[in-house]
């Protein structure tokens, strides 16, 4: 019985390491000019894409409709590596429009956004 638990723990940890490697590979592949697609967040709101809060959108004359973002294609405008090892990107809409009619560029934590499905590589 002890051997089965050990084997299960070993396989489980190996699968987690493999999943982390896939995210790192995808993160390192992202370059300026790449086209990504905004996916559906797993929670109620986008956690890893830094969209402004609704009150800031409304102040600037926009409509705070987060559901309308799903499927929008975006272009990476900059890639920055942080000291903690995470990678931040800035994205703008591919069609040249503004997010919510008020913001041209937003930032995102690329590794977490890809892992949770908030951003999808094409």
């Amino acid at each position: 019985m002890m051997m089965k638990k050990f084997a299960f723990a070993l396989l489980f940890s190996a699968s987690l390491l493999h999943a982390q490697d896939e995210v790192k590979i995808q993160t390192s592949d992202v370059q300026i000019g790449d086209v990504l697609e905004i996916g559906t967040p797993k929670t109620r709101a986008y956690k890893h894409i830094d969209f402004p809060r609704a009150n800031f959108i409304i102040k600037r004359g926009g409509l705070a409709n987060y559901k309308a973002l799903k499927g929008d294609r975006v272009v990476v405008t900059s890639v920055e590596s942080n000291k903690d090892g995470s990678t931040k990107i800035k994205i703008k809409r591919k069609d040249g429009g503004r997010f919510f009619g008020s913001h041209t560029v937003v930032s995102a934590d690329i590794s977490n956004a890809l892992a949770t499905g908030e951003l999808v590589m094409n």
Side-chain angles (χ1 to χ4, degrees):
M1 186 68 175
M2 183 72 161
M3 190 62 142
K4 287 182 182 179
K5 287 182 181 179
F6 178 74
F8 177 74
L10 183 65
L11 289 173
F12 181 71
S13 61
S15 66
L16 286 177
L17 289 174
H18 179 68
Q20 288 177 349
D21 288 342
E22 285 182 22
V23 171
K24 287 180 184 177
I25 291 169
Q26 291 176 349
T27 302
S28 65
D29 290 343
V30 175
Q31 298 174 353
I32 295 175
D34 285 352
V35 178
L36 304 171
E37 185 174 317
I38 297 178
T40 307
K42 289 185 178 179
T43 59
R44 197 179 81 137
Y46 288 92
K47 187 175 180 181
H48 305 292
I49 302 175
D50 298 328
F51 288 122
R53 292 189 322 224
N55 62 329
F56 291 113
I57 295 168
I58 294 167
K59 272 185 186 178
R60 294 185 65 183
L63 293 171
N65 185 2
Y66 294 96
K67 290 181 182 179
L69 296 171
K70 183 180 182 268
D72 281 352
R73 297 171 62 92
V74 294
V75 178
V76 177
T77 59
S78 74
V79 178
E80 299 174 3
S81 296
N82 294 335
K83 291 179 183 178
D84 63 357
S86 64
T87 304
K88 279 278 204 190
I89 62 168
K90 292 193 186 239
I91 54 176
K92 68 177 184 176
R93 287 179 50 158
K94 184 172 169 121
D95 63 4
R98 295 173 176 257
F99 294 103
F100 313 107
S102 61
H103 291 76
T104 55
V105 177
V106 295
S107 62
D109 180 358
I110 187 65
S111 60
N112 290 329
L114 286 172
T116 59
E118 292 181 13
L119 285 175
V120 180
M121 294 187 82
N122 290 333

